[in-house]
Amino acid sequence: MKNKYIPDDTIRRLPVYLRNLLNLKKQEKKIASSKEICFSLNILPDQFRKDISYFGTFGKRGVGYDVDKLIYTLEKIIGIDKKVKVILVGVGRLGSALIRYKGFSALNIEISYAFDNDPKKIGKIIEGIEVKDIEKMEEILKEEKILVGIICVPANKAQKVAEYMVKSGIKGVLNFAPTTLNLPKKIFVSYVDMASELGSLIFKLNNL
Amino acid sequence: MKNKYIPDDTIRRLPVYLRNLLNLKKQEKKIASSKEICFSLNILPDQFRKDISYFGTFGKRGVGYDVDKLIYTLEKIIGIDKKVKVILVGVGRLGSALIRYKGFSALNIEISYAFDNDPKKIGKIIEGIEVKDIEKMEEILKEEKILVGIICVPANKAQKVAEYMVKSGIKGVLNFAPTTLNLPKKIFVSYVDMASELGSLIFKLNNL
């Protein structure tokens, strides 16, 4: 699959399909139609079929998709068929909430290390994870290959933290700080921009 | 501007431009180029010019944009030139973190009411906001017109909360619960889907 062009929107929908499939599995569904897989997603079944066609041929016309098989395939495609460890920097209120957030584990993602520079936070244990001194990050990531880091520090500290992450070997950054990061092109950066989401919503209410 | 087609991506970028402009203002910039406005956004200056051209003619060729004026215009376009009040339901760890989150106020958005159904949380005061019994929501929204609600309850409770919000007069929902909502078409729903963002990032690291 390397180097094949896959639209960004397709990529963003993969974990969403996976979550709906996991729900169907919980309901003990064995076979699901594309309509069921798209249930309440605002995605047309055609779009789903197009999205997964990038990765091969799945499902049987008129029958549907084997739920277990498609879950396995999607986990494999995304790269979460084995547990993926990530780190988090910034154990403030948002950071602590994320450490305790249950949504990650459904996708086989685990926050394995949390870092902060505040002596009052270092050593604290949250959800079984000890908050470590941020200065230990490089050393820890030398021992254990972790590629993804979550940034939950204030906006004015995010760039410096991101650079240190990259220096320590992180290749993908999920940034919650309300600011944009300036990193080498080879680093993947995603933003969870809560205020902008609210802003867009308010725009739509006022204009559409 | 009503009924004019504006791409969703353009809408999502407006608050992002605004935030960069607010940063430029903080740095006491009076005039900014489109390149400066797009600084570290991964957005080309051409895209910015195209995006704001939906709303009129701004800036002077070869001179740039009046920072204050463009901030005012964008706030007006988005609908946050006056303070916008929103409600939040679900004062768990994520909900509390959001109440304390500083990113909203920069965009003139205020979480004015927080609701929960847990007697242990009702009455608590967080960041000056008293957590109210969720059953009071309809009554409160009858007194005060608030159109946007944030959902921070667990996934299995989100649909019911969303329906109650809509019944109480909410027209736009920002959903943090890792599940999709099934609401009338006239209701705007946005998702902040942290696990999916991480999933997409992991996919890119594995495949691109």
Side-chain angles (χ1 to χ4, degrees):
Chain A
M1 209 160 47
K2 291 240 177 204
N3 298 321
K4 185 171 154 182
Y5 173 73
I6 296 157
D8 219 57
D9 284 337
T10 296
I11 296 170
R12 305 180 91 240
R13 283 188 290 261
L14 297 176
V16 178
Y17 297 135
L18 177 56
R19 193 156 53 210
N20 262 16
L21 282 158
L22 290 167
N23 275 337
L24 289 168
K25 188 189 161 100
K26 231 187 259 165
Q27 295 157 32
E28 294 181 11
K29 270 263 179 196
K30 300 279 176 215
I31 303 286
S33 65
S34 46
K35 207 179 145 189
E36 287 172 305
I37 295 168
C38 293
F39 173 69
S40 82
L41 288 184
N42 275 327
I43 300 171
L44 293 174
D46 275 351
Q47 182 67 60
F48 163 72
R49 284 191 291 266
K50 200 179 160 191
D51 284 340
I52 61 158
S53 74
Y54 284 101
F55 307 99
T57 313
F58 307 99
K60 273 187 199 152
R61 188 168 291 271
V63 177
Y65 297 84
D66 181 312
V67 172
D68 277 340
K69 240 190 222 167
L70 194 52
I71 287 173
Y72 175 78
T73 308
L74 276 174
E75 286 181 344
K76 198 108 186 145
I77 289 171
I78 297 171
I80 51 178
D81 49 321
K82 286 175 210 135
K83 196 196 285 168
V84 176
K85 294 183 172 187
V86 307
I87 63 165
L88 178 143
V89 179
V91 190
R93 301 185 192 280
L94 184 61
S96 321
L98 289 178
I99 293 171
R100 290 170 172 123
Y101 180 64
K102 304 291 174 207
F104 295 136
S105 62
L107 294 184
N108 247 336
I109 301 167
E110 178 190 271
I111 296 175
S112 305
Y113 294 97
F115 298 95
D116 207 291
N117 68 351
D118 179 351
K120 273 179 268 157
K121 288 176 188 157
I122 296 167
K124 265 179 90 174
I125 292 177
I126 300 172
E127 214 59 14
I129 298 164
E130 187 191 336
V131 180
K132 297 200 184 286
D133 187 340
I134 190 166
E135 304 210 342
K136 300 264 166 69
M137 186 202 297
E138 206 174 349
E139 198 183 314
I140 289 170
L141 295 192
K142 239 180 228 160
E143 298 293 316
E144 190 161 10
K145 201 184 165 195
I146 295 182
L147 299 177
V148 176
I150 303 175
I151 295 182
C152 293
V153 300
N156 61 350
K157 290 182 183 156
Q159 177 65 30
K160 223 181 129 189
V161 164
E163 286 170 15
Y164 181 50
M165 277 182 167
V166 170
K167 188 170 167 261
S168 305
I170 292 294
K171 307 286 184 209
V173 174
L174 183 63
N175 180 32
F176 282 83
T179 185
T180 40
L181 302 173
N182 199 1
L183 295 175
K185 285 233 177 300
K186 60 176 182 183
I187 306 297
F188 294 102
V189 184
S190 288
Y191 295 90
V192 176
D193 192 338
M194 304 177 287
S196 293
E197 286 297 337
L198 259 185
S200 312
L201 200 58
I202 291 165
F203 171 89
K204 288 179 188 175
L205 284 174
N206 285 316
N207 296 286
L208 303 185
Chain B
M1 207 161 47
K2 291 244 175 199
N3 299 320
K4 186 171 154 181
Y5 174 73
I6 297 159
D8 218 56
D9 284 338
T10 295
I11 295 171
R12 304 178 93 241
R13 283 189 289 262
L14 297 177
V16 179
Y17 296 136
L18 177 56
R19 194 157 50 213
N20 260 16
L21 280 158
L22 290 167
N23 274 337
L24 289 168
K25 188 188 161 101
K26 229 188 257 165
Q27 295 158 33
E28 293 182 11
K29 270 263 180 195
K30 299 281 176 212
I31 302 286
S33 66
S34 45
K35 206 178 146 188
E36 286 171 305
I37 294 167
C38 293
F39 173 68
S40 80
L41 290 183
N42 275 328
I43 300 171
L44 293 174
D46 274 351
Q47 182 66 62
F48 162 73
R49 282 191 292 266
K50 198 178 161 191
D51 283 339
I52 61 157
S53 74
Y54 284 100
F55 306 99
T57 313
F58 306 99
K60 274 190 196 152
R61 188 168 288 273
V63 178
Y65 297 85
D66 182 311
V67 172
D68 278 339
K69 242 191 221 167
L70 194 53
I71 287 173
Y72 174 78
T73 307
L74 277 173
E75 287 181 342
K76 198 107 187 148
I77 289 170
I78 299 171
I80 51 176
D81 48 322
K82 285 175 210 136
K83 197 196 285 170
V84 176
K85 294 182 171 186
V86 306
I87 63 165
L88 178 143
V89 179
V91 190
R93 300 184 194 284
L94 183 62
S96 321
L98 287 177
I99 293 172
R100 289 170 172 121
Y101 181 63
K102 303 290 173 208
F104 295 137
S105 62
L107 293 184
N108 247 334
I109 300 167
E110 179 191 270
I111 297 176
S112 305
Y113 294 97
F115 298 95
D116 207 291
N117 68 352
D118 179 350
K120 274 181 265 154
K121 287 176 189 159
I122 296 167
K124 266 178 87 175
I125 291 175
I126 301 172
E127 212 65 8
I129 297 164
E130 187 192 335
V131 180
K132 297 202 185 283
D133 186 339
I134 190 166
E135 304 209 343
K136 298 265 166 70
M137 187 202 295
E138 206 175 348
E139 196 184 316
I140 288 170
L141 294 192
K142 238 179 228 162
E143 297 292 315
E144 191 161 10
K145 201 184 165 194
I146 295 183
L147 299 177
V148 177
I150 304 176
I151 293 181
C152 293
V153 299
N156 61 351
K157 291 186 182 154
Q159 177 66 31
K160 220 180 129 191
V161 164
E163 286 170 14
Y164 181 50
M165 277 181 167
V166 170
K167 187 169 166 260
S168 306
I170 291 294
K171 307 286 185 209
V173 174
L174 184 64
N175 181 32
F176 282 83
T179 186
T180 41
L181 301 174
N182 199 0
L183 294 176
K185 285 233 177 304
K186 59 175 185 185
I187 307 296
F188 293 102
V189 183
S190 288
Y191 294 90
V192 176
D193 192 338
M194 304 177 288
S196 293
E197 287 295 336
L198 259 185
S200 313
L201 200 58
I202 291 166
F203 171 89
K204 288 181 189 176
L205 284 173
N206 284 318
N207 295 287
L208 304 185

